[in-house]
Each structure stands twice: as C-alpha cells, then as structure tokens.
Amino acid sequence: MSNIHGINFDNQTVTAKDHGHLFHCVIVDGIMSGCELSFSGTSLVITPGYLLVGGREMKLTANTTVIVNGATTGFARVLITIDLTKPATADTFEQADFQIQYANTATGFSALNQEDINSTGTTYQFALCTLALGTSGIASIYSRAGSAAVSKADAHAEQEYGSRKGTAQHHVQDEIRDVR
C-alpha cells in the first residue's frame, strides 16, 4: 500500500479542502465576477457574483445588503468570514457570512485572521471593502477587493527564476529554447 493518495483521479474523492488547497496555492483571493458595490445611507449593496476566498469559491445569488450603522466617523471594513465550525449541508450553508469592523483610520484595523482552512484551520477573513463613514452613514467606498488573479505562480516564478517582465511563461519559453 502506497502513501500516495490520488485526488483528481478516477474513483477518488476530491474534498473541499483538496480543491481549496489547489486554488489557494495558485490564485490570490478576490472577486471573480460581479460583486459590484453601491451604497445609500447606512446600506451597502453587493450584487450577485463569484468570489475566491481562502481557496474556496463562493457565489452571491442575489443582491445582498449589509447595514453599516456602528459608527458615524472613521472607517468600516466589510469582511467575509469563513467559519468551518458552522453547519453546511445540502440544504443550508452557514460557513460564510459578512462581518463589519470599525476603526478611526483606514489603517487602524486589526490583522485579518487567515488560518489555513484547507488544512487544520477553521477561520478565514477576507476584506471585501473599506468604507469611509460620515454623519449620514457611508460617505464613500474607500477601497475594495481586487480581482482573483493567478499571481501567486508569477510571484513564485520571480522568486525562483529572477525578476522578468511578464510571467512564469518566460521561464517555460527559455526551457523550450534550451531543448531546441
């Protein structure tokens, strides 16, 4: 019996942790599509879309309203928090939810809790946006999450092969030229 366990092979099971591990190693957290933001008063509206957070793909199926009414000055950071200790069944999903943190300055928030949820961790926080607050509620969207991107591979390639304009593809092209 081998210590090798096939993951994406015939007759093998791909778990959420296995699938998430692959995505988390290659793709930076972010918005894959949709998830546009708008606000009025204390309401932040997020449109339907897809996100990749901690290697886990999530889908917002309808407009989602997050109420931001804990402060009238400073900043609010809207998080998507994954908590794997909460229930997930075929009918219900409670392992991800929105949370709000408040700070006096845009850089005054505590560090995100980003445990390795594709191994033994259970909690992972993702900052969807930071809002500037005013007396009437949300004054502006100060910053928002970027797009999910395949830049982890590029960062690894740069570390491994040195800085080059472009991506890891340059190394592959160099290898092909060397073989010719």
Side-chain angles (χ1 to χ4, degrees):
M1 179 171 197
S2 173
N3 287 329
I4 298 172
H5 173 80
I7 294 174
N8 59 342
F9 289 81
D10 291 343
N11 302 311
Q12 299 297 305
T13 302
V14 178
T15 67
K17 284 185 178 190
D18 293 334
H19 200 241
H21 177 75
L22 170 65
F23 283 142
H24 192 65
C25 285
V26 177
I27 303 174
V28 173
D29 292 347
I31 298 167
M32 295 175 8
S33 67
C35 301
E36 297 299 323
L37 305 175
S38 62
F39 64 91
S40 177
T42 61
S43 298
L44 175 72
V45 177
I46 308 154
T47 64
Y50 291 86
L51 300 118
L52 191 70
V53 176
R56 305 296 180 101
E57 186 178 4
M58 289 183 271
K59 178 180 176 180
L60 294 178
T61 59
N63 280 350
T64 302
T65 301
V66 177
I67 303 299
V68 181
N69 61 4
T72 57
T73 61
F75 293 84
R77 182 166 70 175
V78 179
L79 305 176
I80 295 176
T81 299
I82 296 174
D83 182 350
L84 298 181
T85 64
K86 294 189 176 180
T89 67
D91 299 321
T92 64
F93 180 74
E94 297 177 22
Q95 291 185 333
D97 203 0
F98 291 98
Q99 292 182 335
I100 303 168
Q101 296 177 335
Y102 296 94
N104 291 325
T105 66
T107 57
F109 296 101
S110 59
L112 296 171
N113 181 359
Q114 295 185 327
E115 298 173 5
D116 185 355
I117 58 172
N118 300 306
S119 182
T120 58
T122 60
T123 304
Y124 193 94
Q125 294 178 318
F126 169 74
L128 179 63
C129 65
T130 300
L131 309 169
L133 304 176
T135 55
S136 298
I138 301 167
S140 67
I141 298 171
Y142 180 80
S143 66
R144 70 171 267 161
S147 297
V150 185
S151 65
K152 284 190 176 181
D154 291 341
H156 172 73
E158 184 173 321
Q159 180 182 25
E160 191 73 23
Y161 305 111
S163 177
R164 299 189 185 181
K165 292 183 179 179
T167 66
Q169 182 179 6
H170 285 97
H171 177 69
V172 173
Q173 290 170 342
D174 291 348
E175 293 290 322
I176 291 170
R177 274 191 229 105
D178 290 346
V179 170
R180 290 185 187 154

